[in-house]
Amino acid sequence: MSRSIHEEKAVKQFKDTQLLTRLLSYAKPYWKMIVLCIALAFLIVVADLARPYIMKVVIDGHINGLNRPMLAAGAEQAESLKRYGRVVEWDGKSYVRLDEEDAAAAQASPPEGAEAVQIVRTDGQYWLIAGWLSSPQAAVQAAEADGRAAVLSEGRTFAAAPLDEAALAAFRAQDYAGFVRLGVLFLLTVIGAAALSYLQSNLLQYTGQTIIFNIRQQLFNHLSRMSMSYFDRNPVGRLVVRVTQDTESLNQLYSQVVVNLVKDVIVLVGIVAVMLHMSVELALLSFTVIPVLALLTFWYRRVVREAQRRTRTILSRLNAFLAENLSGIRITQLFIREERQREQFDYHNTAYYRAGMRGTVINSIFQPAIGMMGNLAIALLLWYGGVKVIDSSITFGIVYAFTHYVRQFFQPLMSLAEKYNQIQQAMVGAERIFDMLDEKPAIACSDNPKHLPERVRGEIRFEHVWFAYNEGEWVLKDVSFTIQPGQTVAFVGATGAGKSSIIQLINRFYDIQKGSIKLDGIDIRDIPLDELRRSISVVQQDVFLFTGDIASNIRLNDHEITDEQVREAARMVHMDDYVRSLPDGYATQLGERGINLSLGQRQLLSFARAIAHQPQILILDEATSNIDTETELIVQDALHNISQGRTTLIVAHRLSTIQHADQIVVMHKGKVREIGNHYQLIAQRGYYYRLYELQYKEQSPYRPAR
Ligand SMILES: Nc1ncnc2c1ncn2[C@@H]1O[C@H](COP(=O)(O)OP(=O)(O)OP(=O)(O)O)[C@@H](O)[C@H]1O
Ligand SMILES: [Mg+2]
């Protein structure tokens, strides 16, 4: 017993690198777009990272700027101060603030003609003191020395001059200007980042959607070339999932993941660089949580892909089940199998739910865990940074900026989890898509095809044909016969004898295992498939109608068939009157969005289809089984006309319909039992004779054989 087709076979596992290379190859035509997106990402990152830095400058340079060490010089040396920054004129002297580096340098070797001064505050009074405190936070105390105002700090005495409101305003002026300048800059980074993000995400969506569009197209083309045995093995539901959902997961990859991943990496590298630049100690401190992170990620990586794979497989099963059961709903209801089907659905549904939940649980552990690591890093920063601010080795602005950077640092890490998730989904999707694309159509065109002549004669020859759908289970055994051009040949035999199989073989829906089938003397395996199939029309018992109108169902997108030919074909099978009576005539919609035809009408339409395509070979597989006797006679008549000069193969259970055939091939259990025309076979008194007798007796009261 072979495995149920619902058991989704384990998809071939590809190496990640293999998958990535192939995935990238789809993105290759759009590389310019992607590079542009990455460039945009870079700008966005710069804007994002600039913000905490701007805050740091606001805090250290302006809010706390008044207490910074300064250099003072006479008006004539003002020029030499300009290189340190903005020069403030007050009371006939020039002053400039120093940043940390300059202050340190000036401390080591005081510049010529300039003196160190600083503004300090005690008890609500601001002083300009001669010299620098050991740190801006050092405690100060107003005092008097030699009868003049002075400030004491850590045992040192500084000469001090009180500053009035006007003086303060002069020193503060650059801070107010700075707030405005930096505020505007801050705003610009926000607006800029937003605008760039908008642009980037649109470009990305466009790229992703286009790539996926191509992949879906390729998949569909591929599927439409697959042989019938492939569709025997793969339920429709599964294929639908591949073409729609699996490709969607790839869309995520192209439109979200790739570029954002690059962006995240830029963010991480950028933050590390900025952190190290601002404070090596604090940076190293923040990084201490990284090993734990690495472990977490490692664990996550391992479990999540397995979960994803499972989910996909189960979803596939669920879909296949659904598709099959919905198309078979009539049978389910007729046989009151709803309860049982519901149980089965419940089973698949539960499995899917469990698989989904598992993924969710994994994520709900991972995401907060990463978040916690981030907060842990911030806690460390507060503790250590706080101490360092008090002893003045680090400014408050830096600690403040660090808390932001740490947050920004962990954000991509957290979304990395999500992205990893998406990548996993995409990888699983890609595996399944490539697995499908790699499946070679079992019916391949020969390497050196032989072309059919412009006008096919229609000679069909089976030579010792052996065929099995599944290995070892022979359906046709050593079948040989020859159909001359233009002959009408009938196939009869019990159910399961192999009649339909013969017909599918002529179309090359399947390939035979032994022997050969020749059309006009050429092995059909050497004939290009489209040429072969173009010369054959098949009318089957169950007719498939496409969504669309009647005319297009007859024409089947072959625009060489004119409206007149469509009508002519319908007239030949006596459908024209009926179609004209419909409100929209030949433009009447069928199926879901339109009317439903009866089984017999479908068969007539299918006849019209075959006639309109004017094939050299016409095959009818129980094509008249659902047509009433009167119409059948008419159709037989039409058939008789169109089969003139055409090779016609007919499979029929009603022997009355095939008596006029040039040859009748009697099949029995996959073998040719008898061949001959009606009279020869009757004379043989063999299997055909017995069949005929049975039916004749049955039919004689109503309709004696012609
Ligand atoms: N797609 C398939 N996969 C596997 N086995 C198949 C497939 N189609 C048909 N068979 C098997 O091949 C054998 C011949 O089937 P076939 O359809 O050719 O019979 P038939 O003569 O057309 O019967 P009927 O008169 O009922 O249409 C049957 O035993 C059937 O089980
Ligand atoms: Mg059949």
Side-chain angles (χ1 to χ4, degrees):
M1 184 62 205
S2 60
R3 224 156 28 129
S4 153
I5 53 172
H6 292 305
E7 290 297 316
E8 168 111 343
K9 71 174 169 137
V11 174
K12 182 168 107 199
Q13 297 204 353
F14 292 86
K15 281 206 206 86
D16 279 2
T17 46
Q18 235 179 330
L19 282 177
L20 278 176
T21 330
R22 275 182 81 166
L23 284 171
L24 282 179
S25 73
Y26 284 99
K28 211 168 159 200
Y30 305 94
W31 69 271
K32 282 185 190 153
M33 205 64 103
I34 293 173
V35 168
L36 178 63
C37 287
I38 291 177
L40 288 176
F42 188 78
L43 293 179
I44 296 170
V45 171
V46 169
D48 284 346
L49 294 195
R51 284 197 286 275
Y53 198 82
I54 294 175
M55 290 302 291
K56 177 217 171 248
V57 175
V58 167
I59 294 172
D60 290 344
H62 296 295
I63 296 179
N64 295 333
L66 199 62
N67 297 343
R68 300 201 65 77
M70 293 193 292
L71 284 178
E76 60 283 3
Q77 266 109 6
E79 275 310 303
S80 67
L81 296 184
K82 279 213 172 120
R83 68 184 177 96
Y84 295 110
R86 188 197 286 232
V87 175
V88 178
E89 304 287 340
W90 179 65
D91 204 14
K93 273 186 159 182
S94 300
Y95 298 85
V96 71
R97 280 185 198 166
L98 301 184
D99 64 21
E100 273 116 58
E101 265 173 50
D102 290 338
Q107 187 120 47
S109 60
E112 192 90 359
E115 41 189 306
V117 292
Q118 190 171 359
I119 295 174
V120 299
R121 181 183 174 186
T122 70
D123 308 325
Q125 172 67 48
Y126 286 93
W127 305 90
L128 184 68
I129 62 171
W132 294 337
L133 300 181
S134 61
S135 89
Q137 275 77 31
V140 290
Q141 192 185 345
E144 239 178 65
D146 309 332
R148 295 165 67 181
V151 164
L152 288 180
S153 174
E154 295 174 344
R156 291 164 65 200
T157 312
F158 299 90
L163 292 175
D164 56 14
E165 289 285 318
L168 266 184
F171 283 109
R172 268 290 188 201
Q174 59 176 306
D175 295 324
Y176 291 115
F179 293 145
V180 173
R181 199 162 34 89
L182 292 168
V184 169
L185 191 63
F186 191 92
L187 198 64
L188 281 182
T189 64
V190 173
I191 295 172
L196 292 178
S197 296
Y198 169 80
L199 190 66
Q200 190 213 31
S201 82
N202 276 319
L203 277 177
L204 280 178
Q205 278 302 333
Y206 166 81
T207 315
Q209 293 288 1
T210 317
I211 296 175
I212 296 311
F213 173 89
N214 295 339
I215 295 180
R216 270 198 303 265
Q217 203 78 30
Q218 191 189 358
L219 272 177
F220 185 75
N221 289 346
H222 182 74
L223 276 180
S224 47
R225 280 202 311 270
M226 294 313 277
S227 64
M228 285 307 124
S229 58
Y230 182 77
F231 295 100
D232 289 347
R233 274 181 284 122
N234 291 282
V236 173
R238 180 188 304 167
L239 301 179
V240 169
V241 173
R242 297 267 163 105
V243 180
T244 55
Q245 291 191 349
D246 288 345
T247 54
E248 205 39 52
S249 66
L250 284 192
N251 181 20
Q252 294 280 326
L253 182 74
Y254 290 115
S255 61
Q256 304 283 320
V257 183
V258 174
V259 171
N260 283 333
L261 207 62
V262 176
K263 183 172 158 191
D264 286 350
V265 171
I266 303 176
V267 169
L268 292 181
V269 172
I271 290 180
V272 169
V274 177
M275 278 179 158
L276 285 174
H277 168 76
M278 286 200 308
S279 162
V280 177
E281 301 177 76
L282 282 192
L284 293 181
L285 183 75
S286 315
F287 299 154
T288 49
V289 292
I290 286 181
V292 187
L293 266 182
L295 277 179
L296 256 176
T297 317
F298 183 75
W299 164 79
Y300 181 75
R301 211 183 101 89
R302 231 179 24 144
V303 291
V304 98
R305 182 174 235 189
E306 209 31 60
Q308 293 280 351
R309 228 182 238 137
R310 254 187 84 71
T311 314
R312 279 311 167 99
T313 312
I314 293 173
L315 178 64
S316 231
R317 262 180 232 162
L318 181 71
N319 274 300
F321 178 85
L322 254 185
E324 189 173 298
N325 276 274
L326 290 181
S327 36
I329 190 92
R330 270 165 217 268
I331 307 299
T332 309
Q333 294 189 352
L334 273 178
F335 288 82
I336 329 171
R337 302 290 292 164
E338 289 99 327
E339 198 47 47
R340 180 85 192 94
Q341 301 298 68
R342 224 182 343 253
E343 276 165 26
Q344 283 188 19
F345 182 75
D346 197 48
Y347 168 79
H348 289 297
N349 201 9
T350 310
Y352 185 51
Y353 163 80
R354 290 228 176 92
M357 275 314 286
R358 191 174 149 71
T360 314
V361 168
I362 294 171
N363 270 332
S364 64
I365 296 174
F366 185 69
Q367 297 253 10
I370 297 272
M372 206 178 82
M373 287 295 122
N375 285 320
L376 189 66
I378 290 180
L380 283 174
L381 272 179
L382 288 182
W383 160 68
Y384 190 81
V387 172
K388 288 286 165 178
V389 168
I390 288 177
D391 74 16
S392 284
S393 50
I394 291 171
T395 66
F396 172 64
I398 290 182
V399 175
Y400 178 85
F402 255 77
T403 58
H404 275 258
Y405 282 130
V406 166
R407 260 212 184 113
Q408 282 191 346
F409 187 79
F410 281 88
Q411 225 159 37
L413 288 183
M414 263 198 304
S415 70
L416 214 64
E418 199 176 317
K419 261 170 225 126
Y420 192 78
N421 222 331
Q422 288 173 337
I423 294 181
Q424 285 318 311
Q425 280 189 13
M427 289 300 202
V428 174
E431 259 176 359
R432 293 151 52 94
I433 286 173
F434 293 149
D435 180 61
M436 184 157 153
L437 284 175
D438 287 350
E439 181 124 7
K440 293 266 171 317
I443 306 293
C445 212
S446 148
D447 289 335
N448 39 8
K450 300 198 179 93
H451 293 278
L452 284 172
E454 186 65 31
R455 190 153 172 75
V456 179
R457 287 186 300 124
E459 183 205 64
I460 299 170
R461 187 194 289 271
F462 271 56
E463 287 172 356
H464 305 289
V465 170
W466 288 75
F467 169 67
Y469 291 98
N470 303 312
E471 221 180 288
E473 302 167 16
W474 295 113
V475 168
L476 295 183
K477 299 166 208 158
D478 198 28
V479 170
S480 299
F481 57 82
T482 305
I483 303 174
Q484 300 301 337
Q487 268 193 339
T488 296
V489 175
F491 292 83
V492 297
T495 291
K499 305 177 295 289
S500 300
S501 304
I502 287 184
I503 277 154
Q504 309 219 55
L505 292 181
I506 298 177
N507 275 301
R508 262 193 103 199
F509 274 169
Y510 301 88
D511 267 343
I512 56 174
Q513 279 84 7
K514 286 191 255 180
S516 70
I517 302 175
K518 288 181 177 155
L519 173 59
D520 284 3
I522 309 173
D523 193 311
I524 58 170
R525 280 169 291 203
D526 291 333
I527 303 174
L529 259 188
D530 51 339
E531 276 183 37
L532 174 72
R533 292 189 182 155
R534 197 171 299 135
S535 51
I536 302 171
S537 272
V538 183
V539 182
Q540 279 171 312
Q541 180 173 16
D542 46 341
V543 178
F544 189 84
L545 298 180
F546 291 92
T547 314
D549 60 18
I550 293 183
S552 67
N553 259 294
I554 293 179
R555 188 179 278 138
L556 287 186
N557 284 333
D558 185 343
H559 294 289
E560 282 180 19
I561 299 174
T562 64
D563 287 349
E564 185 42 50
Q565 280 169 316
V566 167
R567 233 167 290 141
E568 176 59 30
R571 212 173 290 136
M572 282 176 86
V573 296
H574 293 253
M575 245 204 133
D576 188 49
D577 287 340
Y578 168 70
V579 175
R580 277 163 186 275
S581 73
L582 295 171
D584 290 330
Y586 282 89
T588 304
Q589 293 289 323
L590 293 181
E592 245 175 280
R593 275 179 272 153
I595 60 160
N596 273 310
L597 295 179
S598 78
L599 236 50
Q601 286 165 334
R602 283 162 184 249
Q603 285 194 338
L604 290 180
L605 190 137
S606 163
F607 260 106
R609 209 182 250 172
I611 293 169
H613 282 82
Q614 303 194 332
Q616 202 43 44
I617 298 163
L618 186 63
I619 298 180
L620 310 173
D621 191 353
E622 317 226 353
T624 54
S625 54
N626 295 311
I627 303 174
D628 67 73
T629 318
E630 191 185 352
T631 316
E632 190 185 352
L633 281 178
I634 298 164
V635 171
Q636 289 281 331
D637 197 43
L639 252 183
H640 189 70
N641 289 335
I642 53 174
S643 64
Q644 294 299 320
R646 290 203 166 91
T647 306
T648 310
L649 283 72
I650 302 176
V651 176
H653 282 293
R654 266 189 258 169
L655 299 187
S656 59
T657 59
I658 51 148
Q659 280 169 26
H660 62 278
D662 300 308
Q663 266 193 96
I664 295 169
V665 179
V666 183
M667 301 291 303
H668 183 66
K669 292 189 176 164
K671 287 187 179 155
V672 176
R673 181 82 167 255
E674 296 161 9
I675 294 189
N677 67 25
H678 178 68
Y679 301 103
Q680 291 166 336
L681 292 180
I682 290 291
Q684 267 185 28
R685 300 203 158 240
Y687 188 75
Y688 180 81
Y689 176 75
R690 281 207 299 284
L691 271 183
Y692 180 75
E693 267 214 315
L694 275 174
Q695 288 198 6
Y696 181 76
K697 271 188 204 144
E698 205 175 274
Q699 288 178 2
S700 55
Y702 314 104
R703 194 173 136 220
R706 277 193 287 178

